[in-house]
Amino acid sequence: MSDYAIYDVFSDTALAGNPLAVVFDADRFDDAQMQAIAREFNLSETVFVRTAENPVHTAKLRIFTPGRELPFAGHPTVGAAVALAHRRLGASLAGNRIDLVKMLEEGIGPVRCAVRIDRETAGFAEFDLPRLARRSGIGILREDIGTALGLDPHEIGFENHEVSLWSAGVPFVLVPVHDLSAAAKAECDPALWERVAPMADGQLASAYVYCRGGVHHTADFHARMFAPAEGIAEDPATGSAVAALSGAIHEHDGLREGNHALVIEQGVEMGRPSLIHLHLDCTGRELTHVRIGGEAVRIAEGRLLV
């Protein structure tokens, strides 16, 4: 038997953010069993915590959608880091703030994650992006993307932001739109998306629609994510998409030297508002370091009997 917990990630409020199943002590499961368990939870992602290959690291993570395994994902990284901290220190918190660093092994490589927990049921984690976002030169027709997302061509693009394909391990077609009303209008047609979306990193790219501003007063960008190839009609918070977006922000906004702290809101249209923290470090005009973070709150726990 293995214990598990359910966390809502990129939110400090239960029943908001992006739900995640964290399965502990998962060494005994093979690939087929982990995939079947992920289908059973039927959340956008389930993370399995296994013994690290490097003994100085905290744990090895295997991340599964209901359909396949991912080499890297943001909300499983944040949620698993907070869950592991709660599992180790929950009984000793007693209202004290504790900060610690964890090294998590993922398919993309080791991921350094800083964790802060203040009470037993909530915490904050921030991880260093293991691979900076890269732009693909694959040509993408704005009109085709607009048709698949129910957007008119004049609604796509703002300032010098244009439709582009980026990946920091998981590929996304980044679709800038004029404003919140255009973002709210977006609706992905799975059949059309499969016809027009490019392949990258061995998979069909998902759609990430974004604009400046947000409903929440702290938000710098508002976003929505559609992944029909993964069986995800819409995702309330997507750290891997924000990782891809970091490259587009650096390129299109011409960021100067220093640290740039941004907040991206997502999930508003789904009734599951999320806030994702993004920090970009630039040396000169070069993007050198990216961190992504957010809060996570535990809402359930139990035991797998398989």
Side-chain angles (χ1 to χ4, degrees):
M1 294 185 290
S2 295
D3 293 336
Y4 72 87
I6 306 294
Y7 277 76
D8 284 337
V9 184
F10 293 126
S11 173
D12 63 354
T13 303
L15 307 182
N18 199 351
L20 171 76
V22 183
V23 179
F24 303 102
D25 303 320
D27 290 303
R28 65 192 182 88
F29 298 122
D30 62 26
D31 292 2
Q33 289 173 314
M34 287 187 285
Q35 187 64 76
I37 292 167
R39 283 197 300 269
E40 187 77 10
F41 278 118
N42 200 32
L43 300 174
S44 60
E45 279 132 355
T46 296
V47 60
F48 295 85
V49 179
R50 299 162 71 94
T51 302
E53 295 178 5
N54 186 329
V56 303
H57 293 168
T58 306
K60 180 175 182 176
L61 304 184
R62 300 281 300 275
I63 302 168
F64 286 79
T65 73
R68 68 183 183 90
E69 185 174 7
L70 297 177
F72 160 74
H75 101 277
T77 301
V78 168
V82 172
L84 285 166
H86 281 155
R87 188 169 173 85
R88 174 186 166 194
L89 300 171
S92 62
L93 283 175
N96 296 319
R97 169 175 165 168
I98 297 177
D99 296 282
L100 61 159
V101 174
K102 294 184 176 295
M103 288 296 295
L104 304 174
E105 298 173 357
E106 300 188 21
I108 199 170
V111 180
R112 179 183 178 275
C113 197
V115 185
R116 181 184 69 240
I117 48 177
D118 298 300
R119 55 191 185 278
E120 189 176 351
T121 56
F124 180 93
E126 182 179 65
F127 63 88
D128 297 328
L129 197 62
R131 191 183 99 184
L132 293 179
R134 301 170 187 166
R135 182 173 183 173
S136 170
I138 296 174
I140 304 173
L141 293 178
R142 181 175 67 172
E143 293 77 10
D144 289 345
I145 293 298
T147 299
L149 294 174
L151 296 169
D152 297 327
H154 73 271
E155 295 175 302
I156 298 176
F158 64 81
E159 301 161 14
N160 63 335
H161 284 246
E162 59 184 6
V163 176
S164 52
L165 176 64
W166 290 80
S167 175
V170 181
F172 293 90
V173 177
L174 304 183
V175 185
V177 295
H178 283 189
D179 52 28
L180 290 170
S181 62
K185 175 185 172 184
E187 186 174 346
C188 187
D189 183 312
L192 285 177
W193 185 257
E194 186 174 354
R195 280 183 11 212
V196 304
M199 294 288 294
D201 292 332
Q203 58 191 288
L204 189 72
S206 299
Y208 195 64
V209 177
Y210 70 98
C211 65
R212 288 207 193 275
V215 174
H216 196 280
H217 70 280
T218 65
D220 298 286
F221 290 92
H222 177 92
R224 301 179 68 188
M225 198 284 276
F226 307 93
E230 304 296 336
I232 301 170
E234 185 170 357
D235 197 40
T238 318
S240 56
V242 172
L245 180 64
S246 68
I249 292 172
H250 173 254
E251 178 174 302
H252 298 317
D253 288 354
L255 299 182
R256 297 182 180 273
E257 181 161 0
N259 175 260
H260 305 267
L262 302 169
V263 175
I264 292 87
E265 72 174 16
Q266 193 179 329
V268 172
E269 289 82 359
M270 303 176 67
R272 297 193 66 97
S274 308
L275 293 176
I276 303 173
H277 296 260
L278 172 65
H279 289 266
L280 304 97
D281 293 331
C282 296
T283 302
R285 293 296 184 92
E286 182 180 354
L287 183 63
T288 54
H289 190 205
V290 175
R291 300 184 305 281
I292 293 173
E295 294 178 288
V297 57
R298 183 172 54 194
I299 65 163
E301 56 187 9
R303 180 166 294 174
L304 288 173
L305 303 180
V306 294

